[in-house]
Amino acid sequence: MYKDLKESKECRIVWLPIVDGSIDRQQALDKFKNLQKRMPWYSIQDPAMIQPAVIKYVKEEWKYSKKAIIVSVDPQGRILNQNAFHTLWIWGISAFPFTAETEEALWKEKPWTLELLVGDIDATILEWMKEERFICLYGGNDEAWIRKFRNSAKDVASKAQINWGMAYVGKKNAKKRLEEISSSITKTESSHIVIDATKMWFFWARLERMLYWKLQHGMSVEKDNIMREMMTLLSFDGSR
């Protein structure tokens, strides 16, 4: 997303590494340097350079606690979005410059469809949609249950004579176990696709961001059908 943002928009990211003051200074600096090497954007060269007054402002005005936030600022230094983190995960660079108006317009413009849910985690799913196939997303980490479900689903599809596809999206965590299951599915089910472990995590994390955005904007399951369906999907991540 950062690469796309940098190439297509007049936008740059500057990382302000705010660290816990109780952590040993050298330990914090070493950890920061290791992270900094892997990040392509601009950053403060040493966390100690950030003055206490700045940290106080970020915590009080930007509501920063422990989780990373992305504050969108225009060329004049005006705050456009106090935390565009969820927005960037959901919409990518199409939400630039990440204002509330842009977010609301995108939610109104894009219906709650499989395309919005899946995003670009796998091109095959998008192709299936163009072919107007029935699509089944399934997950979990219980291999016996998964095998039983796949066989039952295949039988139903065969009897109904429908054009369909199945995609295994795993769970948010348990990466090693998911890789074992994915390998098993790939060997026995060449007609079905398996999302790789990183994209599985991204699928579930992105879905969570959608729910957080709705909650942040005062929406509730009683009044928002999309939010209700999000919560139903996320509840599956906690089951098999």
Side-chain angles (χ1 to χ4, degrees):
M1 285 189 287
Y2 171 71
K3 183 181 178 182
D4 291 341
L5 193 65
K6 186 177 178 181
E7 289 179 353
S8 62
K9 308 288 182 183
E10 287 299 319
C11 181
R12 297 294 180 269
I13 292 178
V14 180
W15 179 31
L16 274 66
I18 296 177
V19 300
D20 187 342
S22 64
I23 298 175
D24 176 75
R25 159 135 171 70
Q26 190 57 49
Q27 181 184 349
L29 183 60
D30 290 344
K31 183 178 180 181
F32 164 69
K33 291 295 183 183
N34 286 331
L35 286 170
Q36 187 186 41
K37 289 175 186 176
R38 306 203 301 268
M39 295 183 179
W41 40 74
Y42 299 104
S43 69
I44 304 300
Q45 293 305 304
D46 185 337
M49 295 173 64
I50 304 175
Q51 297 298 311
V54 175
I55 295 175
K56 184 172 184 290
Y57 176 85
V58 168
K59 288 183 175 181
E60 292 181 358
E61 298 298 322
W62 292 356
K63 311 301 180 188
Y64 169 76
S65 179
K66 292 182 179 180
K67 291 188 176 182
I69 61 173
I70 299 176
V71 181
S72 178
V73 183
D74 74 7
Q76 286 72 45
R78 293 174 299 214
I79 304 297
L80 299 178
N81 192 326
Q82 213 160 275
N83 189 4
F85 198 88
H86 302 323
T87 304
L88 191 59
W89 274 57
I90 297 168
W91 302 109
I93 65 170
S94 61
F96 182 84
F98 314 112
T99 60
E101 293 77 15
T102 305
E103 289 179 303
E104 289 172 10
L106 284 167
W107 277 110
K108 289 177 181 177
E109 176 188 330
K110 299 282 187 179
W112 177 238
T113 62
L114 186 61
E115 184 178 6
L116 175 59
L117 175 63
V118 171
D120 59 354
I121 63 169
D122 196 285
T124 305
I125 298 176
L126 299 179
E127 285 299 316
W128 286 349
M129 291 177 64
K130 291 177 183 177
E131 295 168 6
E132 298 185 346
R133 290 196 193 191
F134 290 89
I135 299 171
C136 173
L137 303 181
Y138 68 106
N141 61 359
D142 183 329
E143 192 167 356
W145 179 89
I146 290 170
R147 191 179 301 111
K148 183 179 178 180
F149 171 77
R150 281 203 323 267
N151 291 336
S152 297
K154 282 198 302 181
D155 287 343
V156 170
S158 176
K159 289 174 182 176
Q161 296 184 331
I162 59 174
N163 185 22
W164 79 316
M166 292 183 76
Y168 178 64
V169 294
K171 295 185 72 168
K172 186 178 176 185
N173 297 310
K175 182 176 180 180
K176 185 176 180 180
R177 179 68 181 137
L178 294 179
E179 287 175 346
E180 293 171 359
I181 294 171
S182 298
S183 176
S184 172
I185 296 171
T186 302
K187 289 175 182 176
T188 60
E189 301 290 341
S190 59
S191 61
H192 301 339
I193 62 166
V194 177
I195 311 302
D196 70 58
T198 301
K199 288 184 176 181
M200 283 181 195
W201 176 85
F202 186 76
F203 170 82
W204 293 106
R206 185 168 172 270
L207 185 57
E208 282 184 346
R209 297 303 184 280
M210 291 182 180
L211 180 61
Y212 292 155
W213 188 93
K214 294 272 186 179
L215 289 169
Q216 277 185 341
H217 290 75
M219 299 174 190
S220 65
V221 291
E222 291 79 16
K223 298 180 179 179
D224 192 299
N225 290 332
I226 293 177
M227 191 172 174
R228 188 157 51 246
E229 292 185 10
M230 286 177 186
M231 293 190 72
T232 300
L233 282 169
L234 286 169
S235 71
F236 297 151
D237 187 41
S239 58
R240 292 182 182 224

